[in-house]
Amino acid sequence: MVSLFTIFNRNDPTPTARSLRNVKWDCAKVIILDMEHFLPKHINNLKRLVAWTSGSARHYSNNIDDQWPDHLWQDEWDWTPLNHNKLGFVQAKYIGDNVLEGVENGDYIDITSGSKAQTGAIIKAVKSRGIDVNFVLQTRAGETLNLSTGEITSNSSLDLTLKESIWLSSGYLASFGVKGDPANGEIWIAAKKVQESGKTRPDEKVSSALGLKRNINLETGFWLEHASAHILSTWPSISEVFIGVRLIKPSFSKVAGAANFAILSKPWMKNEFDNKFMNWWKDDEKLTSKENSEARAIFYCEWVDYLRDGNISEKAKQYFIESVHSVEFDFIAKDSESMTVIIGECKDKEKVTEGEVGRIHSLSKMVFPTTGHPLMVYSGRKSKLVNGVYTIAWPDLKDPNIMMKTIQEEPAVTLEEEEIKVPKKSKEKVSPNEEQLEILKESLLLIKFDPRSYNPQFIELLRKTEFGTTTGLLSWLEKNLADKMEFTVDRKSLKTTKWISWKNNAIPEGKESTSFQGDEIKKLLEKIVELLEDIKS
Amino acid sequence: MLKMVISTMGDSVSPSLSLLVSNVSTSITFFYTSENIKNAESLQYFCQQRFPETLVHFLELPSIAMPGEIVKYAKEFMSGKNEKVGIFLTSGAKQTIFPFLINSTTSTTVSLVHSPLRIVVDEFPLPSKTVYVELSLQDLLASRGWEISEEDGKTLRRGDLVISGVSALFDKERGLLIFMGQSYLLKTGKEDEIHSLSRSMKNQVKEKDQITISNLTLLSEFFGRNGANYVISGALRSPNRSVLPHFIENKLVESSLQEEE
């Protein structure tokens, strides 16, 4: 019986998960060190790891209102669970005897996680017992390295899948569209390319080569997402690539609110739901701001209950699932050699704009702060590094080393240089009409309950509703809505959820977000242990 | 005093320098991977000038891309060692230093701890030995071949490479090397005008800030992205703000404003 001992990595649970996934064990022990000094983010990381071991994020939230009903949960969001009967968690202030209780000759100790001081202490503790164990480490190249012998084992077939990596590093559920297929990638690579008004397009014959009944519609940009993802899947280092990746928050009540907003902005979806919930929220002038806020919270509770009851059509369920995401990417690819995630945006345009490049950069760093690499694919002619983002002409994707070559061979470009060539229109300032005003209010109230950054998240939310220009919006909000809706704006925090503060933050009973202070932390830890017990039973 | 201490070289300069200054051993061996050869050469030259009394060896390890070979190298190196060897854990990647500790029967550990900065030698079962260390900014820079120009005290120089407008600081308590530049708007007192700059001024701001970013990026190639803190104080405009490399922090001063989208 082989045991694995591994330290919980409090800043990102991914390395701990990798060791649990990649080392062959009969029983495993996760060592949690110095828990008393955990910050809220460490607690969240631990909760995510615990949920990950269960094979699903479905029961991630302790709040019953936030858990997903059976009829709306999608099995595709789950992954392979670990053997919970043989998995244990042990807490300790430092490496001592209790931590290594039961360690025997031939066991594995994974030192990928933990500080060097903690690792040194664990090695010395094992040596002092005179036990011969295998010290292993997960390399960035997707291998398990035995530090006692130098033996390297490839983890290619076992390592974390893309959806697991997304969950562990960002806390989002991932819904994938079409999977990149190397055979289709070869067809796209071989397809004849034609030039049309400065854009590189595929010859229409590619449709029949791909076995499609109808010709690809080159008027919409979807063809470029497919071409990019399929070609990327031919790269040796890419283990997975998906088109149309949507990231969803694990809290049901939060996504229900977001979905209500998205459905309202799509008339063909609205008819499938009870009309009672399908109108833009109107503030009743007779109510105080606090009363209005409470009334709105009650409305959301009823909407959540309506969805939870399950008395909705199959089409409504489908529309709901299509509307629950907070972030959407054209494609995402996992590079198993560098253990990084490529976040892809496609633009069927001759030139990309500064905003387009900046947006994919911000979004990728928001979701994957350390492992994310933004990639812009476009139908212009030249591959280059634009404002720090690889901007690749799609036919060049056939070369797996194109990104490296782009740095070496092409001078980096800053976008304003290019823009000078195109006559620039003066930017239209925001001036909302009645409908836009409703959208603005609705979006603001949505983020009051489900906080999001100003840029990119709030702007993305508006963009989905085809709101129009957002130039000068912040000033407009401050001038026209801040007093009325009782909020203030902090311009230094636009990239965080703290950009907006509400004077009245009424949340209905039972919906409180957990405060992670003092005793709350201890209580939450107890809940984590309980959750683990539940999972085990 | 330990007869021998071994260390692998990492990005950060303060661990290696602390080890040299501490005098916990008169014989130190620094291992470096082929990726780190430039830093090893600088440190070797610095040791010859600054620590002529200490026996310092430099030995090359296999590439970091061949971790299995590093383990085999470490195993062979430690197999002949019967004396107590101090293994310095604070510097270098885990897969380069821990194979030495794992494959040794007689070694002990040496660590650098901050606040205040000190070297701790584990002498189990005896109590640990602590040596407080004091480092100078000049030595830290010199160990990577850099110096501060004596003329204005603000220009950083390494041979033909000259960087002005970036200050080097050393937090002695935490052992942290900091490189700090100022945004052009802060430098010129025009932060309040961030939303009303003329087109030519916007271009000028962009160009000047790009020079500061590029200088900090250049320094990171010598001192490592994680080996020092890189800071730009004052408001930056897009696109510089939105594509700032992740290891460069933009610290806003009280009056700084951020441009809205």
Side-chain angles (χ1 to χ4, degrees), chain A residues 235-289:
Chain A
W235 292 12
S237 64
I238 299 294
S239 56
E240 287 178 286
V241 51
F242 291 96
I243 302 156
V245 178
R246 299 181 305 122
L247 303 188
I248 301 159
K249 288 189 174 177
S251 155
F252 182 69
S253 58
K254 279 187 179 168
V255 300
N260 183 268
F261 178 85
I263 292 164
L264 278 178
S265 55
K266 291 175 186 136
W268 71 92
M269 286 188 175
K270 283 164 69 171
N271 296 338
E272 284 299 322
F273 296 88
D274 186 336
N275 194 37
K276 180 182 165 186
F277 301 106
M278 291 295 119
N279 292 300
W280 291 113
W281 180 263
K282 286 200 190 318
D283 288 347
D284 187 334
E285 301 291 343
K286 289 173 194 161
L287 299 179
T288 64
S289 169

Side-chain angles (χ1 to χ4, degrees), chain A residues 111-114 116 119-120 123-124 127 135 137 145-150 152 354 361 387 414 416 420 424 454-455 470-475 491-492 494-495, chain B residues 67-68 71-72 75 89-92 94-95 98-99 101-105 109 122 195 199 203 206 210 238-239 241-243 252-254 256 258-261:
Chain A
I111 63 159
T112 316
S113 307
K116 284 183 193 159
T119 306
I123 292 169
K124 283 190 281 183
K127 285 186 163 210
F135 288 102
L137 182 140
L145 169 68
N146 187 322
L147 292 158
S148 311
T149 63
I152 290 177
E354 186 188 345
H361 193 270
N387 288 5
T414 48
E416 284 187 6
I420 292 165
K424 219 177 175 182
Y454 178 77
N455 193 5
T470 52
T471 305
L473 179 62
L474 207 55
S475 300
R491 285 170 176 262
K492 291 180 188 170
L494 298 182
K495 289 193 173 180
Chain B
V71 174
K72 287 170 192 164
K75 200 171 178 178
L89 299 183
T90 313
S91 182
K94 274 185 181 175
Q95 64 261 47
F98 282 107
L101 181 63
I102 289 165
N103 291 294
S104 156
T105 48
T109 57
D122 182 25
H195 300 302
R199 185 172 181 85
N203 283 335
K206 187 180 79 176
Q210 274 173 348
S238 278
R241 191 185 69 221
S242 58
V243 298
L252 297 177
V253 291
E254 203 48 44
S256 296
Q258 283 207 348
E259 189 193 20
E260 68 189 74
E261 285 295 320

